[in-house]
Amino acid sequence: MTDLTELTLTDALKGLKEKKFSSVELTKAYLGKMEELRRLNAYITETPEKALQMAEESDNRRAKGEAGKLEGIPLGIKDMFCTKGTKTTAASRILSNFIPPFEATTTQRLWDAGAVLLGKTNTDEFAMGSSTITSYYGVTHNPHDENKVPGGSSGGSAAAVAAHMCAGATGTETGGSIRHPASFCKVSGFKPTYGRCSRYGVIAYASSLDEPGVLARSVEDCARMIEVMAGHDPKDSTSSHREVPEFHKMLDKNIKGMKIGIPKEYQELLPANWEKAVQFLKDEGAVLMDVDMPHTEEAGMVYYVISQGEATTNLARYDGARYGVRENGETLDEMYMNTRMKGFGQEVRNRMILGTFFTSAKGYHDYFVPAQKMRSLIKQDFDKAFEKVDVLFSPAVPIEPFTIEEAKHGAAKGRFNDNYLMPSCLTGVPAGCANNGLQVIGRMWDDATVLKVLDVVEMCK
Ligand code: GLN
C-alpha cells in the first residue's frame, strides 16, 4: 500500500485492526495530503500537532486492546462544531479569535470512539450559503475542477473528503448544507432525523432546523460515523432518547419489495444518471411509484423566513461584550454597532436584517406565522407520501457545480440549488446523498432504511 489516503474509512479501520499500519502512519499520510493540497482551502485551521498526539494515543489504546469504533481514524470537523482548545470560527471574522472552552457533544463522541482531529473545515459564514464564498477565510475550490465551488455550506468538509484530505468529516444542515456539497463534490453525505444528534456545542444558525451530520466517501463510512455521534444528550433537550442502532450493520444491500416514491415535484430537472438509477433500483427488486408533494415549491420561501427569523435571535449573542472580536466605540451602542458591522460579512448582515423584520410585530403576523403554517402543510406532504411508500428518491441537486465567478454573481442562490433539499430540513426527516448525487429521504427516525437504500443507490455507477 503506497498511499494510505486512498482507503475509505471502512477499509482504513480494517487495516488498522489488522495492524497493517498505525494511526500515526495514517494520520501522517493525511497531513501530507493536506499540505500538498492546501491551495484548495478546504481547512480554515489545521491541527497537525494535536492530530499526531491523538494518533499516538490511539495506537496505544489499540495496543492495549481498547480500540473504539473509529479507533485511529483521522477526521475533518466543520468549523461550526466547537472544539475545546482549538479555534472555532464559523468562517466569520467575529469569531476569528474564539477558542472554545468546551467540546460539542457529537465531536466528543467521535474522540471517545478513538477518532483523530485533523483540523477545522471551511464553510459559508455561519453556514449561510451554498458555495463557501461567504467564508471570511476565502472560498474552497472543488477538487474535481478548481475553478468551481465545492457547494455549501459544508463545502470544506466535502472538498476535504473528495480530495482525500481526511477519511470523513462532519457537516451541518439547516437547509441542505450537507447534501448540496456532497452532490457537488461527488461524496456521500447524511443528515439524520432532527433530534438524533445533539446540537450542544454546534454554533447555532436556525435552531429548529440545524442538524449535525456527516460526509464521507461511502454510505457505509457515513453510517459508521453517525452511529457514534447520535444519541441522547442531557445538554440538548431536543435530542432524542431513542436507541441508536448500529447502522452500518444494517446495510444488507437488499431492497426487494421496498416501495420507493419519486416526488413529481422533484423531477422538474433531472441529471444525466437519473434514468439509469431508476432502472437499477427496479432491477434490484424495488417497486417505484410517483408521489405528490404539492407544497414543495413553497419550501424555499418558508425556509428563508424561518431560518432568518431564528438566525437573528441566535446571532444576537455576538455583541463584542463577552467573546469574539470587539471593535471599540465612543459609547456602548457604538461598540455594538462597530463590532457587528465589521465582524459579520454582508450575507450574514442581510439575513439578520430580514430576520429582524420577519420577527417584528408586523413581520411576525405577515410572514413568520404564515411560514409556520406552511411548514405544517409541507410536513403533511411527507406524512401522506409515507403512507404509500417507504422512502423517497430523487436527485439531490439537479445542476452541475457552478464556477467561483458565477457564485460571485448569485449562482449560489439559484432556484435549483436547494429545492429538493429544503423540504426535508423543514420537516426534520432523515435524508442523504449518495456519492453519485442521488438522494433518499425517509420517515422520522427511520434513518436505518435511508442509509440502507442509499447504500444500494451508490452501487449504480
Ligand atoms: N444554502 C442554504 C442557505 O443558504 C442552506 C444552508 C444550510 O443548510 N446551512 O441558507
Side-chain angles (χ1 to χ4, degrees), residues 53-214:
Q53 188 200 328
M54 288 174 91
E56 215 177 293
E57 288 166 6
S58 165
D59 286 332
N60 290 338
R61 279 193 300 271
R62 193 177 283 285
K64 281 195 257 161
E66 295 166 3
K69 278 182 143 191
L70 294 173
E71 197 60 64
I73 295 296
L75 301 175
I77 299 296
K78 185 179 185 180
D79 216 12
M80 293 292 283
F81 291 76
C82 286
T83 39
K84 189 173 175 178
T86 298
K87 194 171 73 166
T88 299
T89 70
S92 182
R93 180 172 176 266
I94 212 159
L95 286 175
S96 53
N97 61 2
F98 177 54
I99 298 180
F102 52 85
E103 183 81 28
T105 298
T106 41
T107 48
Q108 186 60 51
R109 288 185 178 162
L110 292 169
W111 315 140
D112 291 347
V116 169
L117 170 67
L118 289 170
K120 305 298 292 290
T121 58
N122 200 10
T123 159
D124 283 286
E125 187 178 2
F126 283 98
M128 296 178 181
S130 302
S131 62
T132 72
I133 53 160
T134 70
S135 168
Y136 176 67
Y137 305 93
V139 72
T140 295
H141 299 261
N142 190 317
H144 301 294
D145 179 345
E146 294 185 21
N147 291 318
K148 293 190 169 170
V149 301
S153 65
S154 312
S157 289
V161 169
H164 300 180
M165 297 160 86
C166 61
T170 64
T172 61
E173 278 223 11
T174 304
S177 273
I178 288 173
R179 287 168 288 161
H180 188 279
S183 171
F184 272 22
C185 289
K186 302 187 175 74
V187 301
S188 316
F190 181 67
K191 72 137 194 135
T193 307
Y194 181 90
R196 271 276 187 218
C197 282
S198 166
R199 286 179 291 113
Y200 177 78
V202 178
I203 293 174
Y205 163 13
S207 307
S208 79
L209 296 156
D210 292 347
E211 288 176 47
V214 292

Side-chain angles (χ1 to χ4, degrees), residues 190-337:
F190 181 67
K191 72 137 194 135
T193 307
Y194 181 90
R196 271 276 187 218
C197 282
S198 166
R199 286 179 291 113
Y200 177 78
V202 178
I203 293 174
Y205 163 13
S207 307
S208 79
L209 296 156
D210 292 347
E211 288 176 47
V214 292
L215 299 100
R217 276 175 245 172
S218 73
V219 172
E220 181 174 355
D221 290 0
C222 286
R224 286 178 186 272
M225 284 179 72
I226 209 71
E227 68 188 49
V228 165
M229 289 163 66
H232 178 67
D233 173 17
K235 292 180 186 144
D236 174 3
S237 58
T238 64
S239 72
S240 167
H241 282 273
R242 272 167 205 262
E243 210 168 303
V244 181
E246 287 197 283
F247 294 122
H248 81 277
K249 292 192 179 153
M250 298 162 86
L251 309 176
D252 60 4
K253 305 221 189 291
N254 179 6
I255 57 164
K256 257 188 203 79
M258 192 169 285
K259 292 192 191 122
I260 300 185
I262 305 175
K264 286 193 192 121
E265 294 75 8
Y266 292 38
Q267 298 179 55
E268 205 178 326
L269 190 65
L270 293 167
N273 61 351
W274 177 249
E275 292 302 330
K276 193 173 153 197
V278 167
Q279 191 54 48
F280 181 80
L281 294 181
K282 283 184 189 159
D283 294 345
E284 289 293 313
V287 183
L288 274 72
M289 62 190 86
D290 276 340
V291 292
D292 288 312
M293 308 283 281
H295 299 94
T296 300
E297 186 72 36
E298 282 79 16
M301 267 182 302
V302 172
Y303 166 80
Y304 278 107
V305 172
I306 293 175
S307 67
Q308 294 177 13
E310 292 185 17
T312 199
T313 316
N314 274 326
L315 273 60
R317 73 190 70 174
Y318 305 104
D319 56 6
R322 284 162 292 193
Y323 54 90
V325 166
R326 174 185 300 172
E327 293 289 342
N328 286 321
E330 294 291 313
T331 61
L332 182 63
D333 275 349
E334 225 179 85
M335 186 280 281
Y336 287 152
M337 278 193 289

